[in-house]
Amino acid sequence: MPDQTLEKYKNETYFDFSDPTNDKAQKDALEEVRSNFGKEYDLYINGQFVKGDAGTFESKNPSDLSETIGTFQMASKEQAFDALDKAWDAFETWQHVSAKKRAEYLFKAADVVRRRRLEINAWMISEAGKSYLEADADTCEAIDFIDYYAHEALRIDDGMDVLSETWGDYNRTIYMPIGAGVSISPWNFPFAIFVGMAIAPIAVGNTVVAKPAPDTPKMGQLFAEILDEVGLPAGVFNFVTGGDIEVGENLAKHPNTRFITFTGSKGVGLHLNKIASEVAEGQKFLKRMVCELGGKNATVVDEDADLESAATEIVKGAFGFQGQKCSASSRVIAHQAIYDELLEKVVEKTKALSVGNAKDNHISGAVINQKAVDKIMSYIEIGKKEGKLMAGGKRADTEDEGYYIEPTVFADIDENDRIAQEEIFGPVTAFIKAKDTDDALRIANGVDYALTGAYFSNDPKKIDRALREYRVGNLYINRKCTGALVGAQPFGGFKLSGTDAKAGGRDYLKYFLEPKSTTLRPADGVDYDLEKFEFANK
Ligand SMILES: NC(=O)c1ccc[n+]([C@@H]2O[C@H](COP(=O)([O-])OP(=O)(O)OC[C@H]3O[C@@H](n4cnc5c(N)ncnc54)[C@H](O)[C@@H]3O)[C@@H](O)[C@H]2O)c1
Ligand SMILES: N[C@@H](CCC=O)C(=O)O
């Protein structure tokens, strides 16, 4: 194996599916995966694939409800707790495994994902309803997370802190892993986020019980297979499917859960944050909580912007993966001077989007489940009362029976309207008129969330102002507000969008480490190996 520590981390490049060779390769992989629909999959606890004690459930294809992706296990609370115990057992040795050895496991896992990329895409197209490109971007992001965190773990191990020397004493900070914890992930980036949240703590010596979202268990199961293949020691990674409360909440409450990494809705996140802050009986530490929640992101278009480009990027940002991204542009705040022209362009481009089954690579596919359909359709009804419907507004008429909704644009929405304030998490965007730049930035900042934002202008002074005053975790100038790249655009938001832990950034792994300040005063006449002291955490 090449010494990857010497290579610079690079983002994985997406396939170009307009190339017929790539399109055919993805279609072939889909055919193969579809011939494997309907199988049963197990939990993965302590290196063993095992059945659940609380029954099974099915994962359906949202693009065609007659198709079952597979049958998955419902773990009991006792099994979930057993997985946590096994994770603690594994921690005893994993915490002392060298960073280099840990990184080797990760680099191997990234290589297996690379090898199985089209297959993983195919499962995701089928289980989550992503288009080819959206699925490929998700799989590439997972590879990036694994690779990036492995490199980061090596960097941390090399020593990070610059400390002052104090009168002959030697001072060093040692970063220690914190223990066994729980990772609870959403369905919308069913591979990337599941993988990233599980592998980050592991990279720096912790162990994990990972619970996928009930709509996309196959994507988590694939990663269990991959980590089993690369021989990750038993118990370091455990995969437990099951009920939100039975598995998820009970694990979050467990007195031995050292950390909770959660990505999902604001409601569940705030609930878990409260649980994490309570010290359960027998608990011997404060739980670490990483909480990445929703957004109500805006694209602000100023009067001097390139409107054609802004319209193209708005449509991508609002309707990519049916708007089911925490980063989606669900508001467009347009300067009054260009409002009508921009609206017309966005409406035209929205109406041109093809809606249909993800296996046929439609740009706009199905949303995830019936609950999502009900929620989105109820917001569309609210939007019809609050503003003017310009495109979409109803269930899409498609060949297959799935959860299809037309990409929808509303105009003349007031900044305080419900569809301008609440996360819809579907293919709906709302136009709001601003008087000027001041007004636009004020409206953009006037929500409870602060996740992503885009600003379009060609005026350097205005851009500079947006960079300073537009308060979001990820701000993009003259491009869409979705699609952050690991290592390049560390991702996360503040206010009620979360703890801004910045997944895919240099700060992230510290959430799973305990820094220990150490000072060595060399005794007279004793020859210390100061280099060893410096690298005591190797
Ligand atoms: N900020 C980010 O990085 C980010 C990324 C992706 C998605 N999201 C957000 O996620 C949401 C969509 O995902 P979702 O529908 O899966 O969210 P969700 O909150 O319904 O579920 C997320 C996870 O929590 C589990 N869960 C639900 N109730 C639980 C409970 N009481 N205790 C423990 N676990 C519980 C679910 O099974 C799932 O695994 C959106 O709000 C979106 O904005 C945020
Ligand atoms: N990181 C993704 C969003 C994740 C949430 O859904 C993006 O940048 O678009």
Side-chain angles (χ1 to χ4, degrees):
M1 190 185 130
D3 183 357
Q4 304 227 27
T5 60
L6 301 175
E7 288 176 13
K8 199 173 174 314
Y9 161 82
K10 274 208 274 328
N11 293 99
E12 209 68 20
T13 314
Y14 307 153
F15 288 131
D16 171 7
F17 291 105
S18 66
D19 177 339
T21 315
N22 292 336
D23 182 69
K24 179 167 183 324
Q26 189 59 75
K27 287 198 161 67
D28 290 348
L30 266 162
E31 205 175 302
E32 174 63 26
V33 155
R34 289 171 59 75
S35 71
N36 282 300
F37 276 2
K39 295 193 170 160
E40 183 167 336
Y41 302 97
D42 293 344
L43 311 171
Y44 183 65
I45 299 176
N46 202 27
Q48 303 291 320
F49 288 97
V50 291
K51 298 283 174 218
D53 286 345
T56 57
F57 68 101
E58 286 185 342
S59 167
K60 290 281 182 190
N61 180 353
S63 309
D64 183 344
L65 302 181
S66 67
E67 295 178 342
T68 301
I69 302 298
T71 298
F72 294 84
Q73 309 299 314
M74 295 292 286
S76 62
K77 176 171 95 175
E78 290 71 27
Q79 281 182 304
F81 289 176
D82 178 51
L84 185 64
D85 285 348
K86 296 300 188 298
W88 273 110
D89 291 347
F91 180 69
E92 286 304 313
T93 39
W94 185 247
Q95 64 175 320
H96 300 300
V97 170
S98 72
K100 189 165 186 299
K101 181 79 192 150
R102 290 195 307 260
E104 275 173 20
Y105 284 111
L106 266 60
F107 290 133
K108 277 190 200 155
D111 282 342
V112 179
V113 179
R114 283 187 190 97
R115 191 187 78 221
R116 297 180 63 177
R117 179 164 152 191
L118 287 168
E119 179 209 343
I120 293 167
N121 291 354
W123 281 113
M124 204 179 328
I125 290 162
S126 309
E127 192 172 52
K130 292 205 173 195
S131 68
Y132 294 7
L133 182 61
E134 291 285 350
D136 195 44
D138 192 316
T139 307
C140 286
E141 189 176 9
I143 297 170
D144 287 351
F145 274 136
I146 304 170
D147 234 5
Y148 180 78
Y149 291 141
H151 279 97
E152 274 299 288
L154 292 169
R155 183 180 69 85
I156 291 169
D157 189 59
D158 271 348
M160 289 197 298
D161 276 11
V162 179
L163 302 171
S164 55
E165 296 295 331
T166 50
W167 300 285
D169 289 346
Y170 290 88
N171 302 312
R172 298 286 174 253
T173 305
I174 296 172
Y175 287 87
M176 304 176 302
I178 60 178
V182 177
S183 148
I184 301 177
S185 48
W187 49 265
N188 72 326
F189 278 76
F191 199 61
I193 292 184
F194 178 87
V195 167
M197 283 170 53
I199 214 68
I202 289 174
V204 283
N206 304 283
T207 55
V208 169
V209 178
K211 192 199 89 60
D215 287 301
T216 51
K218 179 62 193 167
M219 302 318 300
Q221 189 274 340
L222 283 166
F223 197 51
E225 267 178 30
I226 289 165
L227 292 182
D228 190 64
E229 178 184 333
V230 303
L232 192 74
V236 171
F237 168 85
N238 303 276
F239 168 72
V240 182
T241 43
D244 291 348
I245 306 295
E246 182 78 1
V247 172
E249 188 158 329
N250 280 321
L251 277 173
K253 283 182 176 160
H254 196 289
N256 292 343
T257 293
R258 180 67 182 84
F259 59 88
I260 304 166
T261 71
F262 173 80
T263 302
S265 61
K266 182 180 81 176
V268 176
L270 297 183
H271 179 60
L272 291 180
N273 201 37
K274 190 168 169 213
I275 289 175
S277 70
E278 288 162 0
V279 178
E281 206 182 319
Q283 188 179 318
K284 301 271 191 285
F285 39 69
L286 298 179
K287 289 180 183 172
R288 287 270 174 94
M289 179 86 203
V290 175
C291 211
E292 300 302 323
L293 311 177
K296 190 69 199 175
N297 318 295
T299 301
V300 174
V301 184
D302 221 322
E303 59 183 328
D304 59 318
D306 174 340
L307 297 191
E308 189 56 30
S309 155
T312 301
E313 296 294 297
I314 287 167
V315 171
K316 285 188 199 160
F319 302 123
F321 188 36
Q322 294 75 264
Q324 300 174 114
K325 298 186 189 183
C326 57
S327 51
S329 178
S330 57
R331 295 182 293 158
V332 178
I333 302 166
H335 191 291
Q336 57 180 346
I338 49 86
Y339 180 93
D340 290 336
E341 192 182 342
L342 181 71
L343 177 62
E344 193 182 321
K345 285 179 188 294
V346 169
V347 167
E348 191 189 324
K349 289 176 195 292
T350 302
K351 286 183 175 166
L353 296 174
S354 67
V355 183
N357 197 317
K359 79 174 165 38
D360 304 321
N361 202 15
H362 285 277
I363 296 287
S364 203
V367 301
I368 193 69
N369 56 28
Q370 186 59 47
K371 203 171 143 205
V373 170
D374 295 344
K375 179 178 173 195
I376 297 161
M377 291 311 296
S378 82
Y379 273 107
I380 287 178
E381 289 314 309
I382 293 168
K384 286 177 184 169
K385 292 191 190 98
E386 291 180 334
K388 197 166 154 198
L389 180 67
M390 303 299 295
K394 57 181 191 320
R395 296 292 304 272
D397 193 13
T398 51
E399 275 176 25
D400 300 296
E401 198 203 326
Y403 301 120
Y404 299 97
I405 296 177
E406 290 179 346
T408 297
V409 180
F410 285 106
D412 303 346
I413 295 297
D414 182 83
E415 62 184 282
N416 296 313
D417 281 344
R418 283 188 65 192
I419 64 161
Q421 289 289 328
E422 298 171 19
E423 187 184 50
I424 301 172
F425 217 58
V428 181
T429 199
F431 266 70
I432 303 165
K433 196 178 279 180
K435 289 193 214 77
D436 50 27
T437 311
D438 269 355
D439 199 33
L441 290 175
R442 183 190 59 74
I443 296 169
N445 290 334
V447 290
D448 291 343
Y449 298 99
L451 189 47
T452 75
Y455 177 72
F456 282 80
S457 164
N458 285 319
D459 179 340
K461 280 206 181 103
K462 286 184 181 171
I463 291 174
D464 187 51
R465 204 177 144 196
L467 287 170
R468 282 179 288 112
E469 294 178 26
Y470 196 160
R471 288 186 51 76
V472 287
N474 285 65
L475 177 61
Y476 304 94
I477 307 296
N478 293 330
R479 56 150 276 190
K480 69 186 162 85
C481 59
T482 57
L485 288 173
V486 172
Q489 291 124 4
F491 188 79
F494 41 92
K495 288 168 79 178
L496 291 182
S497 289
T499 47
D500 207 15
K502 291 294 184 221
R506 283 201 152 188
D507 302 318
Y508 195 70
L509 294 185
K510 278 200 183 169
Y511 283 84
F512 310 105
L513 290 166
E514 245 150 16
K516 178 164 69 176
S517 295
T518 61
T519 294
L520 172 69
R521 177 163 299 173
D524 283 348
V526 180
D527 215 7
Y528 285 100
D529 181 347
L530 290 171
E531 195 160 316
K532 256 201 191 130
F533 172 64
E534 182 172 358
F535 296 120
N537 55 338
K538 275 197 173 166

